[in-house]
Amino acid sequence: MISPLPFMKSVGFYLVLILFASSGYLNAQGIRGIISGSDGTRLPYASVFVSPLKTGTTANQEGRYEMKLPSGRYLVRVQNIGYKTQETEVDIAEGWLEKDFVLSAQGYLLQEVQVGKGRKEDFAYTIMRKTISKKKYHLLQYNSYEMKVYIKGTGELTKAPFFLRNKLKKEGVNLNEAYTTESVSQIKFRQPNKIDEKVIAIRTKGTDNSGVSPSMFINQSFYRDKIAGVISPLSNSAFRWYKFTYEGSFSEGKYEVNKIRVTPRSRGDNVFEGTIYIIEDQWAIHSLDLKTSIMGFPINVRQNYGEVAPEVWMPVTHRYQFAGTVLGFKGHYNYLASCRDYKVDLNKDLVIKTEIVDEKIDAAPEEIAKVKQKPGAPPASVVPPNSKMGRKQFYKMMDDYEKKSKDKDRDLLVLTDRTFKTDSNATKRDSSYWTSIRSIPLTEKEKGGYRRDDSLARIESARISGKDSLKVIKKRGFNPVDLIAGGHYNLSPRTSLNINPAFSQVYFNTSEGFNVNLSGRVTHQFDSLRKRIVFTPALRYGFSGKDFYAKGELSYMTKKNVFSIGGGRFVEQFNPEDPIHPLINTFSSLLFRRNYMKIFEKSYASVSWKYVPSPFLTISTSAEWAERTALSNKSDYSFFYRDGREYSPNTPENIELANTGFSKHEAFIFQAGVSYRPVRRYRIYNEKKIALPELSPEITFKYKKGINGLMGSDIDFDRVELGLNHGITIGARDRLEFELLGGAFLNNEKMYFMDYKHFDGNKTILSSLKPAGSFRLLDYYLYSTSDKYFSGHTHYGFRKFLLTRLPGVRYRGIRENVFFNYLKTSHSPHYYEVGYSLDNVFRFFRLEVASSFTNGNYKETGIRVGIATIFKVNRGE
């Protein structure tokens, strides 16, 4: 998906997903003008709705609106939150009708309500209880609907770190320039969750036109409990999360509209704050003006609803705004949407008129008990006309009806079902077409942005298609500086070379001294985008050991398979999962004279295969022959502590094996593994199921065999391992993650230390990228084992805990976490860690403090610094 603002690719669109939209379509002649308040202030983004056509639009930031209409007489309603709605009839003939609107401030009538024995309760609570009781009614009162939508989103990067500005410019991102997307689509919705979208016209950056589709938002309704993880004010648990205040009511035509102030009981991420307007007796949303935040980034949402069918109120205009600053980047994004031409097929089962009674306020009338409910029966068949029902009774009736409808119509494994098609001419619409269809005129910045993007699109199209007839892809000649600084080369339209910068791969360890690495990646994409060949070579030279190393891997990748062969002569850590990064070991050695990384030399040849028949199942196998040679310390260099501290030998310490050194030998190892997720959930896109594996726990099984005698192999062991990991979101933002792992060596006749089971330890100040799968204070190799073992990791993230009880802390996106890690082998004591962390500090870092214990006795406390948990790392990587 391409965001209108590239630097917000992950942040910007994730924040906009909290919202949901639909938008508008336009013609030639029509009505236009300026909308302002009675004091002369322009009203940006005011809503304009034409009732007979079920059509809406939005004024721009200068309060100017424009709506194309065919000839005829129309009732035009102009609405802005906080102002009185104004309606007027207009006659449209040829040409434009210039019509300005002046809105006066909305006045409100106030009242209060008595509860029980004279105890006062804010009138807002009975309004919200009744509205929540009808939420499922509003979601189910139509079988289907369709509409035409117009969307415009504009983003702008206003600040970036000075040292990245040139790089951003090369990638087509300039400061203080508009990045705009527009689209016109036909949207069809069918219960329970089917969305069909056809893009009629689209205009955006580059050639990927999927990013401006509005249908990703269309099912995100405030009548649901959550909106992209944010608690709705109409959630079943709304009173747990919010306080409500009645701020008066006003009349609009035949309806009375109540103004409700929404205040979170605990301000911060994943809750809304602002105002929601509820229509009396209908108990439907009239409009809303709310704000929230995700990860500390503020988001504002405004919606105006229209009566698109008898007593059916749906959004007709939307506005979403956000702005943010992170790591020196600053920008903002504005998303406008308007709807037109609603066609609604009403659900005849729900064509009922009943008065909702709040039993907490009024005594339930006798006729309520006379309404005989049959679980799942159509409400129209059991509810007498103009009857009264208790809110709890009405909610239960709708809940039963919904469950029966789901059982009949819905595949419970499918969460969403979306079809997306693009008209063959959608991207070919010229500027005259957009002038005729666009409801909100472009600004000068937006026009300049389109001129820039049109030229960049030609380059992108050539790169993707592999056809460069216009010679827009610039081919670079080889530059030796790229070996040091890194570089990218297009060897052909489908073949590329990436050179990793050698200057960032200069390391130090005590076995090689300073060493320099040169690595890269050659990728060839076949005509089918699902097939490619990747070659990853690496070269290395150690100055103290005066050894040259080289290795490479060649992989052939298809949709379900990855075949790889590799080989060479290189150095490797005793723990093949590389628990300490060479750069971290470099700083630890040179600055503190602590050489934690232990390595040996390996000459090897390997072959592997990974098969992914479904996103819920992965099968992998590999075989490797290796000649393994011990390395000793050959450098005693460090910046500090030369006199008072000695480097440790290049042989790890272990409680099971007194001497972890080894003689030169050969090894042949076979491995097989299975990863399975038993809970299957999908969304459907273009009639294809797309899995949602993150909703299921993962069960893993691994088998590792050292085969004695094969190709001279000197080892003989068998190891099995079973694991379970999962993550669960709780409430608004709490999250529990855990990882359990147990295994045993069925045979350990002949092993060397690198064949032991090792654990993800850490003795440096930098924490692991896997907060729910690693230890903070464990020695890298002390408890490595050739016998039975079990480890467990639990990580719980709080929305509000200690410091995050302060709203100012929560508004910065900071989270608090606690964690517990445990390890026991046949020969080790009970080892465990408890810890606390501040997460998302400066939106990027995680600060931790942890204490470790053995057999209940305190051992040590340490501080760790890591990357924020929002930056996920796939398990096994």
Side-chain angles (χ1 to χ4, degrees), residues 171-185:
E171 295 178 357
V173 181
N174 301 316
L175 295 182
N176 301 309
E177 289 190 4
Y179 291 83
T180 303
T181 66
E182 293 178 285
S183 73
V184 179
S185 299

Side-chain angles (χ1 to χ4, degrees), residues 424-479:
S424 58
N425 293 317
T427 60
K428 302 175 184 177
R429 310 292 186 184
D430 58 20
S431 57
S432 61
Y433 172 85
W434 284 104
T435 300
S436 68
I437 205 75
R438 184 180 293 120
S439 61
I440 304 172
L442 293 176
T443 65
E444 289 302 315
K445 273 191 174 183
E446 290 169 340
K447 292 176 183 177
Y450 270 141
R451 287 192 293 268
R452 173 203 63 231
D453 293 341
D454 287 344
S455 62
L456 292 175
R458 292 194 296 271
I459 299 175
E460 182 73 1
S461 177
R463 185 189 67 80
I464 292 177
S465 66
K467 299 177 181 179
D468 190 18
S469 57
L470 298 178
K471 305 298 181 183
V472 295
I473 297 179
K474 296 180 180 180
K475 295 183 179 180
R476 300 174 56 204
F478 176 71
N479 185 350

Side-chain angles (χ1 to χ4, degrees), residues 114-162:
Q114 297 288 119
V115 178
K117 299 178 180 179
R119 181 170 58 86
K120 291 183 179 180
E121 179 187 60
D122 195 288
F123 191 36
Y125 285 90
T126 189
I127 293 172
M128 296 304 293
R129 283 193 291 266
K130 291 179 179 181
T131 306
I132 290 171
S133 74
K134 287 196 72 174
K135 55 185 283 187
K136 291 191 176 182
Y137 170 83
H138 293 303
L139 289 170
L140 299 171
Q141 66 181 141
Y142 45 80
N143 296 314
S144 64
Y145 66 81
E146 62 179 274
M147 62 183 173
K148 233 170 220 179
V149 302
Y150 168 81
I151 292 179
K152 183 174 80 168
T154 301
E156 189 173 331
L157 180 64
T158 57
K159 184 179 179 182
F162 71 92

Side-chain angles (χ1 to χ4, degrees), residues 296-475:
F297 292 94
I299 303 169
N300 291 82
V301 53
R302 274 191 170 198
Q303 289 185 337
N304 288 301
Y305 287 62
E307 192 175 12
V308 299
E311 299 187 359
V312 178
W313 293 78
M314 298 184 70
V316 293
T317 62
H318 310 251
R319 182 197 179 195
Y320 313 122
Q321 285 182 304
F322 69 83
T325 301
V326 57
L327 296 177
F329 291 94
K330 185 177 182 180
H332 56 81
Y333 184 70
N334 193 43
Y335 184 93
L336 300 173
S338 57
C339 318
R340 94 171 269 146
D341 300 343
Y342 268 106
K343 297 178 182 179
V344 181
D345 176 25
L346 292 176
N347 182 354
K348 295 180 180 179
D349 289 347
L350 297 182
V351 180
I352 56 176
K353 287 191 176 182
T354 184
E355 180 182 341
I356 302 298
V357 176
D358 184 2
E359 303 92 335
K360 193 172 183 179
I361 302 298
D362 301 314
E366 292 182 3
E367 59 262 35
I368 288 180
K370 297 178 181 179
V371 178
K372 302 297 182 181
Q373 297 188 63
K374 299 177 182 179
S381 68
V382 297
V383 178
N386 300 314
S387 63
K388 294 183 178 181
M389 293 188 71
R391 59 179 178 83
K392 293 182 180 179
Q393 183 184 25
F394 187 88
Y395 184 87
K396 184 178 187 307
M397 177 181 69
M398 292 306 307
D399 191 48
D400 291 340
Y401 176 74
E402 180 189 38
K403 289 177 180 176
K404 184 176 180 181
S405 299
K406 285 183 177 180
D407 292 342
K408 179 177 65 175
D409 299 329
R410 182 177 176 183
D411 180 353
L412 297 180
L413 298 181
V414 177
L415 303 183
T416 62
D417 185 352
R418 177 187 172 202
T419 299
F420 179 89
K421 296 180 180 179
T422 302
D423 188 283
S424 58
N425 293 317
T427 60
K428 302 175 184 177
R429 310 292 186 184
D430 58 20
S431 57
S432 61
Y433 172 85
W434 284 104
T435 300
S436 68
I437 205 75
R438 184 180 293 120
S439 61
I440 304 172
L442 293 176
T443 65
E444 289 302 315
K445 273 191 174 183
E446 290 169 340
K447 292 176 183 177
Y450 270 141
R451 287 192 293 268
R452 173 203 63 231
D453 293 341
D454 287 344
S455 62
L456 292 175
R458 292 194 296 271
I459 299 175
E460 182 73 1
S461 177
R463 185 189 67 80
I464 292 177
S465 66
K467 299 177 181 179
D468 190 18
S469 57
L470 298 178
K471 305 298 181 183
V472 295
I473 297 179
K474 296 180 180 180
K475 295 183 179 180

